[in-house]
Amino acid sequence: MSSLAQDEDRRFVRETGQERAVADVAKPILDELGFRLVRIKISGRDGGTVQIMAERPDGEMNIDDCATISRRLSPVLDAYDPMPGTYRLEISSPGVDRPLVRPSDFANWVGHCAKVELTEAVDGRKRFKGRIEDVVDDEVHLKIELDEDSEPVVVGLPFSLIGEAKLAMNLDALRGDLSGGEAAP
């Protein structure tokens, strides 16, 4: 893989604490199986849940893939014991409101709407919602509306400042897809 391709595939979102420890254990196994780590989330839901979100490099993921990952990771996580007591392991795909954790995620979803939360304010804002225009160097360009009365503008958001990002479902586009018609992304 070229260094440019590796750079576009690197995750700029990093887990912390217990989730980071699970990611450190899970990522090598996911890599070996041919999957990419999207996100680790640990919650107290259902008596304790460790959610590992993954996908193939082409973005695909099916139920058999989830089962394969679960069978491989389960004994390793049991030995590692990431949570005191019992917990439920949940393997999932990114879904329709998928987290965007790599520059390549933004590049793959150009034309779609995304919500981005920064770790530091840019132009007095930390939260942005807009259409992904492109990825240039170390930032994503989003077309956003500053207010109802002005024309949309394109802002550049550095990947180094992105704390969390995900696709935002566009209900008009979804309705168009479901009806077989055309709708703007």
Side-chain angles (χ1 to χ4, degrees), residues 25-37 52-58 60-77 89 91:
V25 170
K27 188 176 178 325
I29 293 170
L30 290 170
D31 290 346
E32 181 183 311
L33 292 171
F35 295 95
R36 299 185 321 168
L37 176 62
I52 299 176
M53 192 178 286
E55 67 184 355
R56 293 190 175 282
D58 64 5
E60 295 293 317
M61 184 77 158
N62 62 44
I63 192 73
D64 292 331
D65 294 334
C66 292
T68 298
I69 292 168
S70 181
R71 281 192 294 274
R72 256 324 266 294
L73 273 177
S74 230
V76 175
L77 290 174
L89 177 61
I91 308 296

Side-chain angles (χ1 to χ4, degrees), residues 1 7 12 28 41 51 56 58 85 98 103 113 123 127-128 169-170 180 183:
M1 184 181 283
D7 200 40
F12 54 81
K41 191 174 211 174
Q51 181 200 55
R56 293 190 175 282
D58 64 5
R98 67 164 292 127
C113 188
D123 295 331
R127 291 188 177 110
F128 296 83
M169 189 180 310
N170 178 328

Side-chain angles (χ1 to χ4, degrees), residues 58-129:
D58 64 5
E60 295 293 317
M61 184 77 158
N62 62 44
I63 192 73
D64 292 331
D65 294 334
C66 292
T68 298
I69 292 168
S70 181
R71 281 192 294 274
R72 256 324 266 294
L73 273 177
S74 230
V76 175
L77 290 174
D78 284 346
Y80 172 69
D81 199 21
M83 293 181 61
T86 60
Y87 64 90
R88 194 179 82 182
L89 177 61
E90 178 182 295
I91 308 296
S92 68
S93 67
V96 294
D97 60 345
R98 67 164 292 127
L100 303 168
V101 299
R102 296 175 173 80
S104 61
D105 292 341
F106 285 94
N108 291 338
W109 292 95
V110 164
H112 290 79
C113 188
K115 291 181 180 180
V116 178
E117 186 164 342
L118 303 178
T119 57
E120 298 175 21
V122 169
D123 295 331
R125 294 176 64 168
K126 289 179 99 174
R127 291 188 177 110
F128 296 83
K129 180 179 179 182

Side-chain angles (χ1 to χ4, degrees), residues 164-178:
E164 188 174 338
K166 67 180 183 174
L167 287 180
M169 189 180 310
N170 178 328
L171 293 178
D172 291 333
L174 182 60
R175 283 186 196 102
D177 287 346
L178 292 174

Side-chain angles (χ1 to χ4, degrees), residues 2 11 15-16 22 24 29 44 46 49 56-58 61 69 76 103 117 131 138 147 149 152 155 162 164 177-178 181:
S2 72
R11 290 174 72 232
E15 290 81 9
T16 59
V22 171
D24 290 345
I29 293 170
D46 299 327
T49 300
R56 293 190 175 282
D58 64 5
M61 184 77 158
I69 292 168
V76 175
E117 186 164 342
R131 181 182 168 138
D138 289 331
D147 57 51
D149 299 327
V155 296
I162 296 177
E164 188 174 338
D177 287 346
L178 292 174

